[in-house]
Amino acid sequence: MWVTIYYIFSYAIFFYTLVAMISLTYLAIRSSVAQKRLLIDAPDDDTIRYTLKSSPITPSVSIIAPAHNEEKTIIDNVYSLLGILYPNFDIIVVNDGSTDDTLKLLIQEFKLKEVPFINLKRVPSKPIRHVYKSEDERFSQLTIVDKEPGGHKSDSTNAGLNVCLSKYFVSTDVDCILEPMALYRMIWHVINSHNPMIGVGATMLMLNGCIVENGRVVEAKVPNNPIPAFQQLEYMRSFLIGKMGWSSHNTLPNISGGFGLFDTEIVVKSGGYDQVSLAEDIDMLLRMVTYMESTGRKYSLAQVPQVSCWTEGPFNVHMLYRQRVRWARGLCEVISHHKKLFFNFRYGRHGAATLPYIFLFEFLAPILEISGFFFMIWLVLINAVNWDTALVIFGMIYIFSVSLIFLVLIYDYTTKSVKWKSTWRSYLKLILVGLIEPFVFHPFVTLCSIIGYINFLRNRGKEWKPIKRKGAKKRH
């Protein structure tokens, strides 16, 4: 019986790994095709800006940025948002019941006064206490919403939606730094789409290690700290291969909660954000897709390859652990809440392909990897390992992983996704990080995923604990 189990498990792992590698290769090819098409079809930033700035059909955009206890950085962050280059946008900062001086500092710095407001109550959220606008014309685009604490970013975003009047809105974090051309790049996809564009994602990278001046990244650097450096490479691989590949089939699995543009009406009709979800970005996109497919409406989703947003990632093991356990638990919630979509062709390509892929190669992968680890230990203990075969298989997987790294860097270079301060030094650092990633970072993330799954089964870890930030380095 043990021999039979050995062969079944071995062949199952082999074919699973083979299919996963083929899938990633296909996504890489599709990403290349999509990026080449954008390089041919999309004009440069100056042309996009000139065209949209003078166009009467350029839609309005609201930037909704939740904030909770951000007194150390809130003023700099709001000034950064105010510096966005776009002719028709406003900023809605949602103070989620901060207990520090976040609101007080905002009122003082931007000369805010309380104004009457209409709470549209289109989506559920904790009650809004006050709404503030500036008496200074320089900050006329700024609205501050003060609400009762909801404990989740999604509740704050919903509150922002209840006062939002724009055609589109951007969901972001108040401590993210947006590239000045970010909205132009995303809206270009909107106005050039044959079908209604309901969501646009854009590439995000780690702010850790970068130099910031006047709310702008002026020196893009790969972090020296290995923890955010691992995340930097992970983000590049996810956005430039995964999401760009999926976007070529109009099947984006998610638009990052850190930075994404959405059709306000469709989000509202989809019920807004789940107030307690730990994976609100995936959940929201799937609910939008469900709504569009159920009502028989055509739609498009797009991904921008250029870096348009910088976010500070966890800088120590404890913060990274908390984040990844939360993400894993959130993935379980998504699979549980949207199980009706799996292999259901009524919900288009997301039901037929995207959700099954997420389940097979993102949800199941940590389980199979942990099982394979213990299976390997058992084989070693009973002296049943074919070391020649094992080393060949491991070598193939490792070479494939390293090849993806080089491919990501090629994509980054050809699309000019980001202007690194020292391009070759940055790439060399990313290559070195990638060479050790399979032995350090990946096993850690796998372990965090298993703990997140266990928390979901035990109904634990539902609270949202924000990641502590150090703040960006500033040029003196």
Side-chain angles (χ1 to χ4, degrees), residues 31 34-35 38 239-248 303-305:
S31 174
Q35 292 181 49
L38 286 174
F239 285 104
L240 294 178
I241 289 185
K243 292 187 179 183
M244 282 303 302
W246 283 110
S247 70
S248 68
Q303 178 71 24
V304 177

Side-chain angles (χ1 to χ4, degrees), residues 347-367:
Y347 297 101
R349 295 174 180 176
H350 278 79
T354 308
L355 261 294
Y357 180 91
I358 290 175
F359 178 78
L360 290 172
F361 299 113
E362 294 188 19
F363 174 75
L364 284 185
I367 298 173

Side-chain angles (χ1 to χ4, degrees), residues 18 41 46 66 69 72 140 150 236 328 350 361 376 380 426 442:
L18 182 62
D41 296 341
D46 290 338
N69 291 345
K72 292 182 180 180
S140 59
M236 293 175 71
H350 278 79
F361 299 113
M376 188 68 180
V380 170
S426 298
H442 184 75

Side-chain angles (χ1 to χ4, degrees), residues 6 31 35 42 61 66 119 122 125 134 141 150 165 203 206 241 273 281 316 343 357 390 412 436 462:
Y6 167 80
S31 174
Q35 292 181 49
V61 179
N119 186 349
R122 299 179 293 185
S125 74
S134 178
Q141 296 163 301
L165 299 176
T203 300
M206 293 290 107
I241 289 185
Y273 286 84
D281 50 357
N316 59 38
F343 298 105
Y357 180 91
D412 179 80
I436 62 173
K462 292 188 292 185

Side-chain angles (χ1 to χ4, degrees), residues 339-351:
K339 53 182 177 290
K340 69 176 182 180
L341 272 67
F342 283 83
F343 298 105
N344 191 334
F345 287 79
R346 290 176 53 197
Y347 297 101
R349 295 174 180 176
H350 278 79

Side-chain angles (χ1 to χ4, degrees), residues 212-225:
V212 175
E213 183 179 323
N214 297 325
R216 293 287 168 262
V217 174
V218 293
E219 291 184 9
K221 297 181 178 180
V222 176
N224 291 322
N225 183 335

Side-chain angles (χ1 to χ4, degrees), residues 253-412:
N254 79 307
I255 293 175
S256 175
F259 184 64
L261 181 137
F262 302 91
D263 185 308
T264 305
E265 177 190 4
I266 302 303
V267 169
V268 168
K269 288 185 176 180
S270 301
Y273 286 84
D274 187 327
Q275 292 172 279
V276 296
S277 174
L278 294 178
E280 82 286 348
D281 50 357
I282 305 178
D283 177 78
M284 186 67 258
L285 183 65
L286 291 178
R287 288 204 276 144
M288 292 170 68
V289 168
T290 300
Y291 168 77
M292 297 300 284
E293 294 287 355
S294 298
T295 55
R297 300 172 64 178
K298 294 183 178 181
Y299 62 93
S300 290
L301 297 163
Q303 178 71 24
V304 177
Q306 292 94 345
V307 174
S308 300
C309 178
W310 299 84
T311 182
E312 186 178 355
F315 54 85
N316 59 38
V317 173
H318 176 64
M319 290 294 105
L320 181 64
Y321 169 83
R322 265 181 27 185
Q323 182 195 65
R324 297 314 169 101
V325 169
R326 172 168 59 83
W327 285 5
R329 194 194 189 288
L331 180 59
C332 293
E333 292 176 354
V334 167
I335 290 172
S336 175
H337 295 167
H338 297 277
K339 53 182 177 290
K340 69 176 182 180
L341 272 67
F342 283 83
F343 298 105
N344 191 334
F345 287 79
R346 290 176 53 197
Y347 297 101
R349 295 174 180 176
H350 278 79
T354 308
L355 261 294
Y357 180 91
I358 290 175
F359 178 78
L360 290 172
F361 299 113
E362 294 188 19
F363 174 75
L364 284 185
I367 298 173
L368 292 176
E369 287 182 33
I370 289 292
S371 301
F373 175 76
F374 286 110
F375 182 67
M376 188 68 180
I377 291 178
W378 175 68
L379 291 178
V380 170
L381 292 176
I382 64 173
N383 196 28
V385 179
N386 185 328
W387 288 107
D388 291 337
T389 302
L391 290 173
V392 168
I393 293 175
F394 174 79
M396 290 175 60
I397 296 173
Y398 184 72
I399 291 171
F400 179 80
S401 174
V402 173
S403 299
L404 282 182
I405 295 167
F406 281 98
L407 198 58
V408 166
L409 299 184
I410 291 171
Y411 288 169
D412 179 80

